[in-house]
Amino acid sequence: IGLAIHNSIVLPIRFPLVVYKKLLYPSKMLTYFDLMQIDPSIGKSLQSIHEMVARNEDVSSLYLDFSITLDQYGEKITSPLRNDIDPSTEVNNSNAEEYIKSYVNFVLDYSIQSQFESFKKGFNLTCNIQSYHLFEPEEMDILVSGEDVLDWAALQRCATYTDGYTSESKPVKWFWELFNKKFSNEEKKMFLKFATGTDRTPVGGLGKLKLVIQKGEDDKRLPISHTCFNIFTLPNYKDKKTLEKNVSLAIRQDEGFGFV
């Protein structure tokens, strides 16, 4: 992941933002809002306890203690939330906030400490520079996984053409008409993956991809792509119907040529 960032490669993954929060701000306190990204039901339960305290309702009626039940390879085991507090200690209004904090820290820190430290060590091999700590978790998410909202108009606006094609060539016009008017959003993502190797957008949007549409002379062949260079080779089809059929077929039959 660190190497992908170093080489400006967008990855087809999306981590919870708390991962980047732990990487960028290791001393920053984690909260039940961070836990909601991993387990919404538990996160909301802890929020409900916090709200009960704020309303001065009796938290002890929930019959909680400072322990947690874990599923370890199909076996249920009980573990203390903290080594310095007896796991049988009842949760009440006076210690509820400490319980919430302990629960969050156990799930997001203590229980995964060795694994996360290994991940962080590998990440820092390529990304251990001061400028990365200027990022917010949301910005690091975009850096790794790309933009969620795709500006398809930018892809066409910034496309270039080669080997005899221009923006006015008939096959090019037919292609963009197919892309803009007939392709669903999912089909557009399929084309993006076919042409570039990923359906994600780099930092700065789709215009940064610099898609190249190359002319192919053999109109009996399907379109092909050179994903390392964002080159989409579109044969010089003689009619719109053939182009639409072959482009649609090509973007659906590329799974054997990708690396996931």
Side-chain angles (χ1 to χ4, degrees):
I1 292 165
L3 192 61
I5 293 174
H6 182 75
N7 290 296
S8 301
I9 303 297
V10 175
L11 297 175
I13 56 175
R14 183 138 262 136
F15 288 123
L17 291 179
V18 66
V19 172
Y20 302 115
K21 184 176 179 179
K22 283 171 64 66
L23 279 174
L24 300 171
Y25 310 115
S27 61
K28 203 165 187 177
M29 187 177 74
L30 301 174
T31 71
Y32 52 74
F33 290 111
D34 297 311
L35 185 55
M36 283 182 192
Q37 300 170 26
I38 308 293
D39 194 322
S41 61
I42 293 180
K44 289 176 181 177
S45 295
L46 295 178
Q47 182 181 25
S48 297
I49 295 172
H50 172 76
E51 292 170 350
M52 285 181 68
V53 173
R55 294 192 298 265
N56 202 30
E57 297 177 8
D58 185 12
V59 173
S60 64
S61 64
L62 299 175
Y63 300 103
L64 299 171
D65 57 35
F66 277 74
S67 68
I68 183 171
T69 301
L70 305 171
D71 188 338
Q72 195 169 75
Y73 304 108
E75 180 184 354
K76 299 292 184 182
I77 63 170
T78 300
S79 174
L81 287 178
R82 286 172 46 168
N83 293 327
D84 59 340
I85 297 180
D86 188 330
S88 64
T89 302
E90 179 188 59
V91 179
N92 52 43
N93 288 52
S94 64
N95 63 14
E97 294 300 333
E98 193 63 35
Y99 169 79
I100 293 171
K101 179 182 175 182
S102 299
Y103 202 107
V104 169
N105 285 341
F106 183 92
V107 176
L108 297 182
D109 192 7
Y110 178 77
S111 67
I112 58 168
Q113 189 172 15
S114 63
Q115 296 94 329
F116 188 82
E117 285 303 314
S118 295
F119 177 84
K120 182 179 179 181
K121 181 180 178 181
F123 182 85
N124 285 337
L125 286 175
T126 52
C127 295
N128 191 22
I129 55 176
Q130 194 60 36
S131 60
Y132 282 112
H133 294 280
L134 299 175
F135 283 88
E136 291 295 324
E138 293 82 2
E139 294 170 323
M140 186 64 79
D141 175 56
I142 293 173
L143 199 61
V144 173
S145 305
E147 301 272 6
D148 261 339
V149 179
L150 303 180
D151 180 8
W152 297 114
L155 184 67
Q156 180 176 356
R157 187 168 60 249
C158 297
T160 59
Y161 308 92
T162 187
D163 290 349
Y165 273 161
T166 70
S167 59
E168 297 301 314
S169 300
K170 277 188 177 181
V172 171
K173 284 188 170 184
W174 291 338
F175 167 74
W176 287 119
E177 184 179 333
L178 169 68
F179 186 87
N180 292 319
K181 296 182 179 180
K182 296 188 178 181
F183 273 4
S184 64
N185 195 61
E186 191 58 35
E187 287 172 318
K188 290 176 180 178
K189 286 186 176 182
M190 290 168 67
F191 168 75
L192 187 62
K193 183 179 178 183
F194 177 80
T196 70
T198 178
D199 59 3
R200 305 298 176 117
T201 306
V203 177
L206 283 173
K208 296 293 184 180
L209 281 174
K210 304 298 182 186
L211 175 69
V212 178
I213 299 183
Q214 179 185 54
K215 183 178 181 180
E217 294 298 340
D218 189 352
D219 63 359
K220 299 296 190 295
R221 297 185 61 181
L222 293 176
I224 61 172
S225 62
H226 307 279
T227 56
C228 292
F229 307 101
N230 299 337
I231 295 175
F232 173 57
T233 301
L234 179 67
N236 188 22
Y237 296 118
K238 300 301 185 287
D239 62 89
K240 186 192 299 187
K241 186 176 181 181
T242 300
L243 180 143
E244 292 182 356
K245 175 186 174 183
N246 287 356
V247 170
S248 296
L249 180 61
I251 66 173
R252 285 172 169 79
Q253 302 297 325
D254 74 324
E255 274 306 309
F257 302 94
F259 293 94
V260 180

